[in-house]
């Protein structure tokens, strides 16, 4: 007994000697304070002298012990510098490097005898990320994390750009939630979406002080995805999936394997929660924190090739999924010089496996490769489209993928996988890992948001996780506000990962004859601009065969040549819900793109010398006041530094 007391006293001395409450970014602008107040661990984030996240609780409640309150002590462990350079050919920036300071604190709940958990804060010049390291209590080798105290408290006057969580078991055939609601723009705090909070990425405008984006990363089968719920006037707390998700199957809370090497206490880390901070939106749109903090989970077994893809479903819907029309689309893709055709739902019955092999062979003879649609089901919703029952169990899945490989199929689009439960995350990971064995790239639809997957799984292409182009075909309202929604995606949704939007339609109407159906309100130049602004390495474009003759030749020529992979990007200007101006670079060549959703025309002054050399031929695609597009080519002259361009409402701009 005496011995224990002496030891406790020693640790106590250690704590006061090592007290440190703060870690700063390498450039010194961002400061994170970590403290223990009345038994509650907490943190705050400061940008220069402005509080961006107020004092907010930390901690987890596990089935071993409650680590959210009555914490007895905190001990600072260390700060270290972490640096890394890596290359990702499938995201918005190819060569990525970062330097950050990482500081770790240990929290004790039981008189210093055994730590409860550690918190590590990773702070670079525009991001703060943190994770818990949960320590085994008694001799436990596993635990369930029932809930978290983790919260984000914002300063008064902060406004929000948030996407409400969908109600589980609602939507088409009980497939929700799948991140497909409209964002609210500049809305006050205090609401709670449709009653169950909001999905990531979540954007906050801290008055005139700047912007904060919340997200999380490094989640596969190791954990569940989370969301945020309003937990006070200015507070948002992390919540785990509702039990009703995924047909009510699986668990709400994540489980962790606790492991310790060389006699250390068994422990396990939770995913990183990320906070991206900027005076402007530039650090938000350009962040790579979701990839900085993950590692590849396996090597690419094949050399995956990215490219442009035709897709009949968005214009011609289910009826087009027959051999003749898919063959027509193969010819169209070949004519466009595109690499892929996505054959959507119902091909298993309307075309069949044997004729699909023929279609694939025909496509390959034209230099086009196929992606095939799959229903993820399964036993968790009622989505009826086939093929069903091929993706959710390993034996069936591997058999199907072996067939795909034999038939020369290069990718799949797996749909109706709504839910953030750990079991669902495990299924996403299993599909990706199996697909890699057969050289198959994977797009998910009706799904969660990826959390670092572009780097974790090298054959992962994209998630939908956005109110995507299908809604433009389904209803007129989405068309009426297409540009409004379009201005937020490049800044927010696409900032955290590849986005399968399926856009750039050149039809006036979403129908095969281009007369009936919902009416597109955006211009043709808008369609070209979003081919640049919306980023994913395999783009399913909504351009249709009839556009070869009924769309402007300059628009078709542009879409024939548009790249889908980029080495760099620059956020130039924008405001979610109003307008966005961005540049992306492909093989050394810059593409500047803008769209405008505001009633008043957007006037831009763009300094071409920031992107082009003197003497370069520069092509400017722009709209007149009636949204009639045209392209002008000029030779960049040194004397004419900034050019003035006007983007009307629902219009676009591309300079390349
Ligand atoms: Ca969808």
């Amino acid at each position: 007994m005496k011995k224990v007391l002496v030891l406790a006293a020693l640790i106590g001395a250690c704590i006061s000697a090592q007290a440190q409450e703060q870690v700063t970014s390498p450039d010194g602008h961002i400061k994170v304070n970590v403290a223990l107040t009345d038994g509650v661990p907490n943190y705050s984030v400061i940008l220069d002298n402005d509080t961006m996240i107020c004092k907010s609780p930390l901690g987890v409640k596990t089935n071993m012990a409650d680590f959210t309150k009555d914490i007895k002590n905190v001990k600072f462990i260390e700060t270290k510098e972490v640096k890394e350079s890596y290359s990702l050919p499938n995201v918005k920036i190819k060569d990525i490097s970062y330097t950050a300071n990482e500081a770790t604190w240990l929290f004790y709940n039981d008189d210093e005898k055994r730590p409860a958990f550690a918190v590590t804060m990773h702070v670079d010049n525009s991001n703060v990320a943190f994770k818990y390291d949960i320590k085994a209590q008694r001799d436990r080798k596993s635990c369930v994390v029932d809930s978290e105290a983790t919260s984000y408290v914002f300063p008064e006057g902060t406004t929000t750009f948030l996407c409400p969580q969908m109600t589980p078991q609602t939507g088409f055939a009980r497939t929700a939630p799948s991140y497909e609601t409209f964002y609210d723009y500049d809305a006050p705090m205090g609401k709670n979406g449709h009653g169950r909070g909001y999905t990531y990425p979540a954007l906050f405008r801290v008055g005139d002080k700047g912007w904060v984006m919340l997200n999380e990363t490094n989640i596969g089968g190791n954990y569940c995805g989370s969301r945020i719920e309003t937990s006070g006037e200015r507070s948002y707390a992390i919540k785990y999936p509702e039990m009703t998700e995924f047909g009510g199957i699986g668990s709400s809370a994540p489980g962790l394997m606790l492991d310790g090497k060389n006699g250390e206490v068994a422990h396990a880390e939770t995913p990183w929660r990320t906070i991206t901070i900027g005076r402007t939106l530039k650090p938000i749109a350009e962040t790579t924190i979701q990839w900085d903090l993950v590692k590849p989970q396996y090597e690419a077994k094949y050399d995956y090739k990215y490219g442009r893809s035709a897709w009949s479903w968005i214009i011609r819907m289910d009826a087009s999924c027959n051999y003749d029309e898919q063959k027509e689309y193969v010819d169209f893709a070949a004519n466009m010089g595109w690499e892929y055709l996505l054959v959507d739902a119902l091909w298993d019955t309307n075309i069949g496996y044997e004729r699909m092999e023929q279609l694939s062979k025909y496509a390959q003879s034209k230099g086009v490769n196929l992606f095939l649609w799959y229903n993820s089901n399964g036993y968790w919703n009622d989505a009826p489209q086939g093929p069903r029952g091929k993706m959710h169990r390993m034996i069936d899945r591997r058999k199907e993928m072996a067939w795909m490989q034999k038939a020369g199929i290069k990718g799949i689009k797996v749909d109706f996988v709504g839910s953030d439960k750990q079991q669902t995350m495990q299924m996403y990971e299993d599909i990706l890992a199996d697909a890699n064995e057969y050289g198959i790239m994977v797009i998910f639809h009706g799904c969660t948001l990826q959390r670092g997957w572009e780097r974790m799984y090298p054959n992962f292409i994209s998630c939908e996780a956005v109110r995507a182009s299908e809604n433009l075909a389904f209803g007129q309202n989405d068309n009426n506000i297409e540009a409004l929604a379009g201005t937020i995606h490049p800044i927010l949704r696409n900032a955290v990962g590849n986005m399968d939007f399926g856009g750039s339609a050149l039809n006036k109407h979403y129908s095969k004859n281009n007369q009936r159906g919902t009416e597109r309100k955006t211009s043709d130049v808008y369609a070209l601009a979003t081919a640049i602004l919306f980023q994913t390495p395999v783009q399913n474009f909504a351009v249709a065969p009839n556009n070869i003759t009924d769309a402007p030749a300059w628009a078709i020529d542009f879409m024939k040549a548009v790249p889908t992979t980029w080495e760099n990007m620059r956020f130039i200007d924008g405001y979610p819900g109003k307008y966005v101006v961005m540049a992306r670079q492909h093989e050394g060549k810059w593409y500047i793109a803008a769209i405008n959703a505001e009633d008043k025309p957007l006037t831009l002054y763009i300094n071409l010398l920031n992107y082009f050399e003197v003497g370069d031929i520069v092509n400017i695609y722009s709209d007149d006041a009636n949204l009639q597009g045209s392209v002008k080519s000029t030779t960049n002259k040194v004397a004419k530094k900034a050019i003035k361009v006007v983007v009307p409402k629902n219009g676009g701009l591309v300079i390349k």
Side-chain angles (χ1 to χ4, degrees):
M1 189 66 194
K2 200 179 171 189
K3 216 173 179 179
V4 171
L5 281 174
V6 170
L7 186 66
L10 274 175
I11 293 169
C14 212
I15 290 162
S16 52
Q18 292 189 4
Q20 174 169 335
E21 291 178 348
Q22 196 173 75
V23 56
T24 58
S25 57
D27 67 5
H29 289 295
I30 298 176
K31 301 180 197 74
V32 180
N33 295 308
V34 172
L36 181 64
T37 312
D38 299 329
V40 177
N42 59 79
Y43 75 107
S44 58
V45 181
I46 294 142
L47 177 60
D48 295 321
N49 292 315
D50 297 317
T51 298
M52 303 303 276
I53 304 267
C54 309
K55 199 164 115 176
S56 305
L58 292 168
V60 290
K61 191 175 175 181
T62 75
N63 64 350
M64 299 182 295
D66 185 349
F67 298 149
T68 63
K69 56 181 188 187
D70 303 325
I71 300 296
K72 299 287 192 306
N73 219 333
V74 57
K75 179 184 169 189
F76 172 76
I77 301 297
E78 59 169 355
T79 301
K80 60 178 182 188
E81 188 189 67
V82 289
K83 272 183 184 204
E84 198 192 3
S85 296
Y86 60 97
S87 205
L88 272 184
N90 55 341
V91 301
K92 61 185 171 181
I93 298 170
K94 191 174 169 215
D95 295 313
I96 300 171
S97 57
Y98 67 86
T99 304
N101 290 325
E102 269 187 19
T104 301
W105 289 263
L106 255 186
F107 290 89
Y108 296 83
N109 66 337
D110 192 17
D111 296 331
E112 323 295 347
K113 280 187 292 223
R114 190 155 206 159
F117 66 96
V119 170
T120 296
M121 288 282 172
H122 171 108
V123 188
D124 70 25
N125 292 341
S126 52
N127 303 277
V128 173
F130 60 93
K131 64 181 176 185
Y132 301 111
D133 186 8
I134 298 171
K135 310 294 185 186
Q137 304 301 294
R138 302 169 295 281
D139 292 318
R140 293 285 289 265
K141 290 284 180 281
S142 71
C143 79
V144 172
V145 184
D146 294 319
S147 61
E148 294 190 26
T150 316
S151 298
Y152 306 92
V153 180
F154 287 91
E156 216 146 325
T158 296
T159 57
T160 70
F161 299 75
L162 298 170
C163 190
Q165 166 77 337
M166 301 164 83
T167 305
Q169 300 283 284
T170 64
F172 174 72
R174 299 192 293 123
T175 55
S178 52
Y179 296 67
E180 294 182 39
T181 50
F182 289 113
Y183 273 85
D184 290 328
Y185 297 84
D186 253 339
M189 295 186 288
K191 291 196 269 179
N192 195 32
H194 304 159
R196 40 187 34 89
Y198 303 96
T199 54
Y200 302 111
L203 182 65
F204 298 82
R205 185 182 172 207
V206 185
D208 294 332
K209 305 281 192 268
W211 299 83
V212 172
M213 177 175 71
L214 306 181
N215 191 30
E216 61 183 6
T217 192
N218 198 27
I219 301 177
N222 57 319
Y223 218 75
C224 63
S226 80
R227 74 202 134 85
I228 52 169
E229 274 204 19
T230 297
S231 53
E233 258 175 57
R234 296 185 285 114
S235 172
Y236 297 83
I238 282 191
K239 292 286 175 208
Y240 291 158
E242 292 179 89
M243 261 319 290
T244 44
E245 288 183 17
F246 210 52
I249 297 145
S251 63
S252 170
L256 287 171
M257 184 182 92
L258 304 171
D259 196 19
K261 290 179 181 65
N262 306 324
E264 68 175 339
V265 175
H267 63 107
E269 290 179 351
T270 62
W272 289 99
R273 302 295 166 31
T274 65
I275 305 167
T276 304
I277 300 157
R279 294 285 180 203
T280 70
L281 288 162
K282 188 176 168 69
I284 311 272
E286 297 182 1
T287 188
T288 59
I289 189 72
Q290 61 274 10
W291 304 304
D292 296 347
L293 297 172
V294 305
K295 289 277 179 277
Q297 299 297 295
Y298 50 77
E299 292 286 312
K301 199 166 169 180
Y302 295 84
D303 182 16
Y304 297 107
K305 299 254 188 280
Y306 310 118
R308 295 77 49 87
S309 180
W311 177 40
S312 72
W313 186 89
I314 186 62
I315 298 296
R316 301 188 184 181
M317 301 269 124
D318 288 353
S320 67
C321 204
N322 60 74
Y323 189 90
D324 291 343
E325 280 184 81
Q326 293 309 310
K327 189 162 172 279
E328 180 193 349
Y329 260 79
V330 166
D331 293 337
F332 165 62
N335 186 358
M336 293 296 287
W338 291 354
E339 293 77 10
Y340 295 106
L341 169 68
L342 164 63
V343 183
D344 218 282
L346 306 174
W347 62 264
D348 58 326
T349 44
N350 294 355
I351 296 173
Y353 281 77
E354 226 168 276
R355 297 196 79 202
M356 183 54 78
E357 290 170 19
Q358 287 171 26
L359 185 70
S360 178
K361 210 169 163 185
Y362 176 73
Q364 288 172 65
S365 77
K366 297 274 176 179
V368 176
N369 284 287
L370 301 186
F371 271 65
L372 298 183
W373 185 95
Y374 280 86
N375 188 333
S376 76
N377 271 349
Y379 39 76
W380 45 87
N381 62 54
D382 305 322
Q385 293 94 330
R388 293 180 67 212
K390 303 287 191 186
M391 281 296 134
H392 70 293
R393 292 178 66 225
M394 190 184 82
I395 293 167
D396 300 327
R397 185 166 62 224
R398 288 186 152 229
K399 203 170 137 194
E400 191 78 2
M401 288 173 174
W403 169 78
M404 287 180 213
Q405 190 170 37
K406 204 170 114 252
I409 306 298
K410 296 295 182 201
I412 51 176
K413 170 181 167 180
V414 184
D415 207 340
F416 307 129
V417 212
S419 166
D420 303 324
K421 285 181 175 175
Q422 187 172 15
Q423 290 79 6
T424 325
M425 292 295 178
Q426 183 67 62
M427 190 179 71
Y428 287 110
E429 185 174 84
D430 291 347
I431 290 172
L432 285 158
D434 278 348
N436 184 50
E437 294 299 314
Y438 299 94
I440 306 288
M441 294 177 275
V442 183
I443 295 169
F444 291 110
H445 253 243
C447 57
T448 190
L449 175 73
Q450 68 263 44
R451 286 150 163 96
W453 296 359
E454 289 85 351
R455 191 174 180 199
M456 291 163 73
Y457 315 114
N459 56 328
F460 169 76
I461 296 298
S462 60
C463 281
E464 184 183 32
V466 66
R467 194 171 171 88
S469 64
E470 59 192 23
N471 294 288
L472 298 168
F474 293 152
Q476 187 57 42
N477 184 50
D478 278 79
N479 287 275
N480 299 343
I481 60 166
E482 182 185 356
L484 174 100
T487 58
I488 198 169
H489 302 324
I491 297 168
L492 189 57
R493 163 62 183 88
N494 226 167
V496 302
N498 302 341
M499 176 178 79
D500 193 61
F501 187 86
S504 297
L506 291 172
N507 264 31
K508 292 291 171 214
H509 294 268
Y510 283 85
S511 66
K512 185 176 173 179
N513 70 5
N514 204 3
Q515 308 283 325
R516 288 177 287 104
T518 54
E519 185 190 359
R520 188 165 60 93
K521 297 290 189 186
T522 53
S523 75
D524 292 338
V525 181
Y526 178 98
L528 309 192
T530 53
I532 307 300
L533 292 169
F534 297 174
Q535 172 270 324
T536 179
V538 177
Q539 287 267 24
N540 293 303
F541 287 127
V543 181
N546 52 287
N547 299 142
I548 299 275
T549 49
D550 66 12
W554 50 261
I556 291 295
D557 289 344
F558 180 93
M559 293 305 295
K560 282 181 175 175
V562 69
T564 63
T565 53
W566 308 99
E567 61 245 23
N568 212 345
M569 62 143 339
R570 282 183 204 162
F571 173 83
I572 298 170
D573 197 3
Y575 195 98
K578 295 181 179 177
Y579 65 97
V580 61
V581 192
M582 246 181 213
R584 297 193 195 274
Q585 189 183 37
H586 174 80
E587 290 178 359
K589 202 168 149 13
W590 283 101
Y591 292 66
I592 302 166
I595 54 173
N596 180 27
E598 285 199 286
D599 288 336
K600 63 171 192 271
L602 171 70
T603 303
L604 297 169
Y605 296 89
I606 294 175
N607 188 343
L608 295 180
L609 288 177
N610 289 339
Y611 306 92
F612 303 97
E613 302 286 331
V614 176
D616 282 354
I617 306 286
V618 178
N619 301 299
I620 302 168
Y621 299 75
S622 62
D623 284 311
D624 67 15
N626 301 315
L627 296 180
Q628 291 303 305
S630 62
V631 56
K632 283 193 235 36
S633 295
T634 57
T635 306
N636 188 31
K637 297 186 186 72
V638 70
K640 202 179 175 190
K641 277 191 175 173
I643 60 157
K644 180 186 171 185
V645 272
V646 176
V647 186
K649 179 180 176 146
N650 292 331
L653 169 77
V654 177
I655 304 176
K656 72 168 189 112

